[in-house]
Amino acid sequence: MKIQESAENYLETILMLGQKKGRVRSIDIAHELEFKKPSVSVAMKNLRENGYIQVDEHGFITLTDSGRRIAETMYERHLLLSHWLTELGVNEKTAVEDACKMEHVISKESFEAIKRHLGR
């Protein structure tokens, strides 16, 4: 099932924050993405209802297996594409911004071809 780019971004953010902080709450996501708390709350409700996250009684958010798979896919794409672009001479800020856009639209086939080409 294809999910929206915004949902992929939220899942990737939860993964990255979890790696940095250990525990993730909606307010952490709001701060990281510079979004308003009510917007993040609505998104978390949708992700929870679609089975991508779980929220415990203390408000801590964890990824389900399906949410983690999506988040890890987006994060791998982001890292590889941003690194590749900087190796090609793109400044880091632009490379990160472009990778963030590209990671959502590139096909699995094309991404795997890039990985093979780069020997990763």
Side-chain angles (χ1 to χ4, degrees):
M1 174 175 84
K2 177 71 175 132
I3 68 169
Q4 291 184 344
E5 180 178 328
S6 62
E8 291 173 341
N9 277 333
Y10 277 112
L11 294 171
E12 183 181 9
T13 300
I14 293 165
L15 176 71
M16 292 184 326
L17 287 172
Q19 290 173 347
K20 278 195 269 187
K21 300 176 67 121
R23 299 176 130 195
V24 180
R25 296 172 302 146
S26 290
I27 193 68
D28 302 319
I29 297 165
H31 287 143
E32 181 72 18
L33 297 175
E34 298 179 352
F35 291 168
K36 301 246 186 255
K37 176 83 166 70
S39 299
V40 174
S41 293
V42 169
M44 293 306 104
K45 177 180 181 272
N46 291 334
L47 290 173
R48 186 175 34 79
E49 288 176 352
N50 286 297
Y52 297 118
I53 64 167
Q54 294 177 334
V55 182
D56 72 14
E57 64 275 4
H58 303 291
F60 291 109
I61 300 164
T62 55
L63 296 166
T64 62
D65 289 342
S66 60
R68 179 167 296 282
R69 276 192 300 277
I70 293 165
E72 288 174 346
T73 297
M74 292 300 105
Y75 192 51
E76 177 190 23
R77 289 177 177 191
H78 181 83
L79 291 176
L80 186 130
L81 292 169
S82 60
H83 183 73
W84 181 47
L85 291 170
T86 55
E87 285 181 350
L88 293 173
V90 177
N91 78 64
E92 187 175 353
K93 182 179 184 299
T94 302
V96 168
E97 290 171 358
D98 288 348
C100 194
K101 297 170 194 165
M102 294 166 62
E103 70 193 44
H104 301 285
V105 296
I106 192 169
S107 69
K108 181 176 181 176
E109 179 183 1
S110 293
F111 183 72
E112 292 299 322
I114 291 169
K115 278 176 48 175
R116 281 192 308 276
H117 176 74
L118 296 174
R120 298 190 178 153

